[in-house]
Amino acid sequence: FLNKAVVSHNTMQVSPTFNGQKEMLSLRAPCSTSCGGGSGSYYPTKGLDGANAATRYVIISDNLVKTNTYAGIQIVQVNPNDSTLVRDVIIERNWSPSASGGGSQIRVTGVDVTVRNNVINLTNAVVDARIGIEVDGATAGMAAPDGVYLYNNTIYSGATNDMMGVYIKGGTNI
């Protein structure tokens, strides 16, 4: 959960000896209503209920994100059944070279998310997961992305097989 935050000038990479599936940076929010059997958290007694539980006003910029497992930067909920709100996020000027075994570089499920001026190299990504920017669809607990803006991103692969620069699974105003 973040509110009015900046994540900037970092190097992110999972140890090459780690065998799990982890993101380099995952931006999430607590449940905005009770968590319907999901693994998220709900804190109404702390004032985190409804819109107050939203993760918002976050800038992720100028980072080196070496994706060598599941995903680089992702904005999603903990569990598809959890009701979460993530909005007003900017992802910009990040350099994302995939290391061997890397997956999607940027995954987005949120409202009013801008992804701009990122450089993504998918050359070493896993063949089935060679996706630069992925905009997910709706889940049981989170509405489809709305107002996702993709500007001036450079997505490249020097590999000989397929890649997807941008994969939009669902949403409105993309």
Side-chain angles (χ1 to χ4, degrees):
F1 171 73
L2 292 174
N3 189 18
K4 299 179 185 171
V6 175
V7 179
S8 187
H9 299 284
N10 297 289
T11 298
M12 300 173 215
Q13 179 178 10
V14 171
S15 166
T17 59
F18 179 72
N19 293 325
Q21 296 288 313
K22 290 291 180 186
E23 322 65 36
M24 303 306 107
L25 174 66
S26 187
L27 184 61
R28 298 180 176 163
C31 295
S32 56
T33 59
S34 63
C35 296
S39 54
S41 301
Y42 178 52
Y43 303 104
T45 60
K46 307 275 187 210
L48 297 176
D49 191 27
N52 290 331
T55 287
R56 62 186 319 177
Y57 309 123
V58 178
I59 297 175
I60 301 168
S61 69
D62 302 296
N63 297 292
L64 173 59
V65 183
K66 296 180 178 180
T67 304
N68 58 353
T69 61
Y70 178 62
I73 298 170
Q74 75 171 6
I75 301 172
V76 296
Q77 72 253 59
V78 175
N79 184 296
N81 296 321
D82 294 343
S83 58
T84 58
L85 304 170
V86 179
R87 60 184 65 232
D88 303 310
V89 177
I90 296 173
I91 301 172
E92 66 180 352
R93 296 187 314 269
N94 297 289
W95 163 230
S96 297
S98 347
S100 180
S104 299
Q105 296 298 320
I106 299 173
R107 285 186 65 211
V108 175
T109 305
V111 175
D112 294 328
V113 177
T114 299
V115 181
R116 64 184 178 208
N117 301 321
N118 296 285
V119 177
I120 298 170
N121 183 343
L122 298 170
T123 301
N124 294 315
V126 174
V127 173
D128 295 338
R130 196 169 278 144
I131 302 169
I133 300 169
E134 182 175 345
V135 181
D136 285 337
T139 64
M142 196 168 186
D146 185 22
V148 176
Y149 307 97
L150 310 175
Y151 300 112
N152 201 36
N153 296 286
T154 299
I155 303 168
Y156 166 81
S157 175
T160 57
N161 36 18
D162 294 338
M163 68 162 242
M164 276 190 266
V166 176
Y167 180 30
I168 299 174
K169 292 182 180 177
T172 56
N173 300 311
I174 309 292

